[in-house]
Amino acid sequence: MTSQTTTASTSTSAVPQGTHMWVLTLEVPGRGMTTSHGTVTPPRGATRHDTFRTLLDHVVAQDPRMSSANCVFFTLETNQL
């Protein structure tokens, strides 16, 4: 089993961050696992589920092996401390 970490958006002080920080871990049992993270600003009126689906689609586009994966972990929280 392999593990891979990717970032959907990276930030420096010159690049604005999204309003929310997310982490998503997917696993195809016995075949692979990936954890991705980044920031996102959901559109007005978007639900948590809408945002999850958008992020899931993003991760699968980056790693098509994960198209049939199970979601092992997902968090979406405001990005402000």
Side-chain angles (χ1 to χ4, degrees):
M1 188 178 306
T2 61
S3 180
Q4 173 183 341
T5 301
T6 59
T7 302
S9 64
T10 58
S11 299
T12 63
S13 58
V15 178
Q17 296 182 13
T19 59
H20 291 72
M21 191 261 182
W22 61 274
V23 178
L24 176 62
T25 299
L26 301 175
E27 178 184 25
V28 177
R31 296 182 53 207
M33 178 179 266
T34 187
T35 296
S36 301
H37 58 90
T39 64
V40 63
T41 300
R44 182 173 294 252
T47 64
R48 182 177 174 86
H49 183 261
D50 295 337
T51 305
F52 168 77
R53 292 298 312 177
T54 297
L55 296 170
L56 179 62
D57 291 346
H58 170 76
V59 172
V60 168
Q62 298 298 312
D63 189 349
R65 299 174 306 137
M66 295 294 124
S67 63
S68 63
N70 299 316
C71 178
V72 177
F73 179 78
F74 174 68
T75 187
L76 176 69
E77 300 184 25
T78 55
N79 194 30
Q80 187 173 359
L81 296 175

